[in-house]
């Protein structure tokens, strides 16, 4: 059985930016749902942080999330199993009040896990582990200790892994806590990385400049082989250009690459000031989001 795994979608990020919601939708329409159809996936696992804000929701962002993602999952009869992540919970010490439970309870195809639970997928049992906080810590530790599942999916903060590319996290759980599992997949950190039996899956799209040149996407998990297939998101919103008029003619650049993007121009060599002004003007003609 093949299931899709996606995490840290952060609907409503960047102050509920319509531009970023449009950017998200390109991924869902152009990559996510076509892949599910091709792979014959009928189950999607979401490993937390579906919504960006812990304290409230913007109605426009919620409507866009429903239109581009949740409504389509329901219309295609795709079952959805969701974990409560730290961004999904109102309080920091308990998962009892969480946005997926409150905002998505009208969908009959969605199950939300705010407490640890072993779930069987076509003969393979997986321990579903939500955000571990003060209120559920004892239950989570007992679930890890007693579970006979070979696989755990969670929203975890584990020491020694990168939160963003090049930025290690030195706090959180000792990786040895999860050594009994053959495979541990987690959301929470947006950089895709892994070692030994632990894999951070990363979020599906760029959100900040820290995500530049760092592959984003989602995964297809095979319950029979215990293998993960990374499906890369081909769409980006951040781009950099190294300007050097001593090597190439800057005016022969493919300027279409800057359309609808956040752009950084790194000036290596600028000997012709007039040509540089022409270059910048042509960049702006592509209607970038920001230069």
């Amino acid at each position: 059985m093949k299931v899709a795994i996606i995490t840290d979608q952060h609907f409503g990020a960047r102050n509920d930016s319509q531009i970023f919601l449009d950017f998200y939708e390109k991924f869902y329409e152009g990559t996510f749902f076509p892949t599910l159809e091709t792979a014959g996936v009928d189950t999607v696992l979401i490993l937390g942080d579906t919504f960006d804000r812990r304290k409230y929701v913007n109605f426009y962002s919620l409507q866009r999330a429903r239109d581009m993602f949740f409504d389509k999952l329901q219309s295609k009869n795709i079952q959805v199993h969701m974990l409560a992540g730290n961004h999904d919970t109102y309080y920091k010490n308990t998962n009892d009040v969480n946005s997926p439970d409150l905002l998505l309870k009208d969908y009959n195809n969605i199950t939300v896990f705010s407490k640890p639970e072993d779930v069987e997928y076509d003969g393979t049992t997986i321990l579903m582990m939500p955000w571990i906080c003060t209120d559920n810590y004892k239950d989570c530790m007992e679930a890890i200790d007693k579970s006979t599942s070979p696989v755990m999916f969670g929203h975890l903060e584990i020491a020694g892994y990168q939160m963003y590319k090049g930025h290690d996290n030195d706090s959180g759980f000792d990786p040895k806590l999860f050594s009994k599992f053959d495979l541990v997949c987690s959301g929470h950190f947006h950089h895709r990385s892994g070692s030994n039996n632990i894999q951070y899956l990363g979020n599906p799209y760029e959100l900040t400049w820290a995500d530049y040149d760092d592959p984003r996407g989602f995964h297809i998990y095979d319950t029979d082989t215990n293998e993960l297939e990374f499906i890369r998101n081909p769409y980006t919103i951040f781009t950099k250009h190294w300007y050097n008029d001593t090597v190439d003619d800057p005016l022969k650049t493919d300027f279409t690459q800057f359309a609808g993007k956040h752009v950084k121009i790194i000036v290596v060599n600028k000997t012709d000031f007039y040509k540089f002004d022409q270059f910048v003007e042509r960049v702006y003609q592509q209607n970038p989001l920001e230069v």
Side-chain angles (χ1 to χ4, degrees):
M1 177 184 181
K2 292 185 177 181
V3 300
I5 312 174
I6 192 167
T7 185
D8 294 84
Q9 296 162 278
H10 286 276
F11 289 113
R14 302 299 299 258
N15 292 318
D16 301 285
S17 165
Q18 180 175 339
I19 290 170
F20 273 83
L21 288 167
D22 292 342
F23 175 54
Y24 293 4
E25 191 164 10
K26 286 175 62 178
F27 160 72
Y28 291 115
E29 286 190 352
T31 302
F32 184 78
F33 284 107
T35 301
L36 264 56
E37 185 173 351
T38 300
V41 169
D42 62 8
T43 302
V44 171
L45 308 183
I46 303 174
L47 304 191
D49 284 3
T50 302
F51 297 98
D52 188 63
R53 288 193 175 90
R54 295 175 50 246
K55 296 295 184 182
Y56 65 92
V57 65
N58 176 285
F59 290 133
Y60 176 76
S61 294
L62 176 60
Q63 185 61 51
R64 289 292 302 273
R66 293 172 69 96
D67 289 344
M68 77 174 77
F69 188 66
F70 295 107
D71 286 353
K72 290 185 178 180
L73 289 168
Q74 185 180 53
S75 69
K76 296 176 184 292
N77 295 315
I78 294 175
Q79 293 301 307
V80 181
H81 288 179
M82 301 179 64
L83 295 176
N86 59 305
H87 275 255
D88 297 319
T89 58
Y90 184 81
Y91 297 106
K92 291 186 177 182
N93 64 337
T94 179
N95 294 342
D96 285 350
V97 180
N98 66 79
S99 51
D101 264 339
L102 294 170
L103 301 175
L104 306 174
K105 59 185 177 182
D106 57 314
Y107 291 95
N108 57 17
N109 63 321
I110 295 179
T111 302
V112 179
F113 296 95
S114 57
K115 298 178 181 179
E117 184 174 335
D118 287 298
V119 183
E120 184 177 313
Y121 298 93
D122 195 29
T124 297
T125 306
I126 297 172
L127 176 59
M128 299 292 285
M129 182 64 61
W131 178 249
I132 301 173
C133 56
T134 305
D135 183 55
N136 68 4
Y137 179 84
K138 182 179 178 181
D139 290 339
C140 291
M141 294 303 106
E142 287 182 356
I144 291 171
D145 182 56
K146 294 179 180 179
S147 177
T148 58
S149 300
V151 178
M152 184 175 83
F153 291 162
H155 195 86
L156 310 165
E157 184 165 335
I158 305 174
Y161 291 85
Q162 293 185 27
M163 301 178 68
Y164 298 95
K165 186 171 64 174
H167 295 271
D168 291 338
N169 173 58
D170 57 4
S171 62
F173 294 106
D174 188 325
K176 294 179 182 178
L177 176 64
F178 312 103
S179 61
K180 66 179 287 184
F181 299 98
D182 296 334
L183 176 66
V184 176
C185 294
S186 182
H188 190 46
F189 296 160
H190 290 187
H191 174 63
R192 179 173 171 266
S193 66
S195 63
N196 301 318
N197 65 325
I198 297 173
Q199 296 290 325
Y200 272 97
L201 303 184
N203 68 322
Y205 21 66
E206 297 174 340
L207 293 176
T208 71
W209 273 108
D211 303 333
Y212 170 75
D213 195 29
D214 191 13
R216 293 297 197 259
F218 71 107
H219 292 76
I220 300 294
Y221 172 66
D222 192 323
T223 61
D224 296 325
T225 63
N226 207 33
E227 293 178 344
L228 285 168
E229 178 188 1
F230 176 57
I231 309 299
R232 183 167 182 172
N233 179 357
Y235 306 104
T236 60
I237 200 167
F238 296 99
T239 188
K240 294 181 181 180
H241 181 82
W242 280 260
Y243 183 95
N244 188 345
D245 62 9
T246 64
V247 175
D248 301 302
D249 183 354
L251 301 184
K252 292 182 178 180
T253 300
D254 177 12
F255 288 92
T256 60
Q257 65 182 293
F258 306 123
K261 300 285 185 74
H262 289 271
V263 180
K264 280 188 178 181
I265 302 171
I266 297 94
V267 180
V268 180
N269 282 298
K270 179 175 63 174
T271 62
D272 187 327
F273 285 73
Y274 177 66
K275 182 170 285 189
F276 179 74
D277 289 343
Q278 287 182 298
F279 174 85
V280 173
E281 182 179 351
R282 293 191 186 184
V283 171
Y284 275 109
Q285 287 174 355
Q286 297 298 317
N287 294 317
L289 300 172
E290 177 188 37
V291 180

